[in-house]
Amino acid sequence: HEDDAARTLASFLRHPSICASPASTGRCNLHASHLGLLQIDRDRIDAANRISESATVATLPEYSLVQPDTMVATVKVIPFSVSEADVAKWRVVLGDLPALRVAPLGRFQAGLVLTELPGMSQALLERASRAQRARLSTLGSEVRREIRCHHSREAVARAIESLRDEGCDPILLLGASAIVDRGDVIPSGLVDAGGEVVHLGMPVDPGNLLMLGTLGDRTVFGLPGCARSLNPSGFDQVLRRRFIGEAVDSTLITGLGVGGLLKEIPGRPMPRNLTSPS
């Protein structure tokens, strides 16, 4: 029967972090049990969908941030019934390990450095501060301490050292001007504090000017200017991976290019598409 088939296929897919709704009209929906990022074994989902046209599995995009009760996938059986042979094939393809999982987010107490230049709007700094606090709160973490300092490598280094001594991790650095190279204020300040720049730049737009660094066992992010808002950016993608315990390194960052062209930010001073195609 279609409902039995949908319920059975859903059971092959789900992890304890995911719960299934009652099956009805050949459909069984899967929902997140807690806050986290959706992890998907795409190869096995694709293989299951190719066994028979009688059943389909659709999911949210991989690494979607999901809240408790968010629907993360749906199983739909197309005809009124399916063969036992198809069910057996699903069991073989999906195996004993769930193909869907909601990875929990760790709780972090971040440090935030905002640099200033003469004449800089305080309203701009306040907006940047609120954005980081909201970003961390959405992920179940918080900004433990914020430091505002002059936009100089010496001041940045002192601020980083202070946040390190207070146990902040990660440390977020948002400069009054964008990072242009490894010799700029933010990367130089990190190096002066005893840290290392791991990677500069990323193939995600907005978010190109991200800096990834380390300070001992702490992660340090030099934020791109787009992080002053809560619009989706490359920084969000990397930060979220860090919060589920994935290795955040050059390999991860350079692998984000496919799908890395995100939507335009309204009012961007240099739009990506200046002319309409002829």
Side-chain angles (χ1 to χ4, degrees):
H1 186 275
E2 57 179 344
D3 290 347
D4 294 332
R7 188 183 308 110
T8 300
L9 179 51
S11 71
F12 296 155
L13 292 167
R14 73 184 187 90
H15 181 267
S17 60
I18 294 173
C19 57
S21 66
S24 176
T25 64
R27 183 180 299 279
C28 185
N29 296 326
L30 298 173
H31 300 262
S33 297
H34 57 72
L35 173 68
L37 295 192
L38 178 63
Q39 294 184 306
I40 301 170
D41 187 330
R42 177 168 184 157
D43 289 342
R44 288 162 66 213
I45 295 291
D46 288 346
N49 277 326
R50 289 169 182 149
I51 286 173
S52 168
E53 64 182 22
S54 64
T56 63
V57 180
T59 77
L60 291 179
E62 190 171 16
Y63 291 107
S64 293
L65 177 65
V66 295
Q67 302 290 332
D69 298 325
T70 299
M71 187 167 73
V72 298
T74 184
V75 173
K76 180 67 173 84
V77 173
I78 306 301
F80 290 123
S81 64
V82 299
S83 70
E84 290 287 354
D86 284 348
V87 175
K89 291 176 183 177
W90 293 333
R91 181 180 289 108
V92 171
V93 165
L94 294 171
D96 297 326
L97 297 176
L100 298 174
R101 173 177 180 264
V102 177
L105 295 162
R107 296 184 65 86
F108 291 83
Q109 292 193 318
L112 174 63
V113 177
L114 301 175
T115 70
E116 304 179 63
L117 287 169
M120 188 172 182
S121 166
Q122 292 302 305
L124 182 64
L125 288 170
E126 289 297 331
R127 186 178 71 178
S129 174
R130 288 196 303 270
Q132 307 327 308
R133 293 177 185 278
R135 179 172 275 115
L136 270 291
S137 177
T138 299
L139 299 176
S141 293
E142 63 182 356
V143 174
R144 178 174 180 174
R145 187 185 173 201
E146 175 184 323
I147 297 176
R148 299 184 185 184
C149 66
H150 181 63
H151 189 70
S152 68
R153 61 186 294 171
E154 296 83 5
V156 169
R158 288 194 298 270
I160 292 173
E161 291 167 350
S162 179
L163 294 177
R164 175 199 61 199
D165 294 344
E166 292 189 28
C168 295
D169 183 28
I171 296 174
L172 313 180
L173 312 173
L174 183 51
S177 63
I179 303 170
V180 297
D181 56 38
R182 286 175 174 255
D184 209 341
V185 168
I186 298 298
S188 297
L190 173 59
V191 172
D192 288 352
E196 176 186 0
V197 177
V198 174
H199 195 89
L200 180 60
M202 70 181 308
V204 180
D205 189 11
N208 289 139
L209 303 182
L210 175 78
M211 182 200 79
L212 171 66
T214 58
L215 183 66
D217 59 353
R218 316 290 169 84
T219 302
V220 181
F221 292 106
L223 277 56
C226 59
R228 289 189 174 89
S229 82
L230 292 175
N231 290 325
S233 73
F235 171 55
D236 292 297
Q237 295 183 10
V238 177
L239 182 68
R240 292 172 182 182
R241 305 281 187 96
R242 170 72 179 85
F243 278 18
I244 62 170
E246 284 197 3
V248 176
D249 53 20
S250 292
T251 300
L252 168 65
I253 290 174
T254 55
L256 295 174
V258 176
L261 181 57
L262 307 181
K263 70 176 186 178
E264 283 280 356
I265 297 176
R268 181 183 172 95
M270 294 195 63
R272 300 163 186 76
N273 186 13
L274 296 177
T275 59
S276 299
S278 57

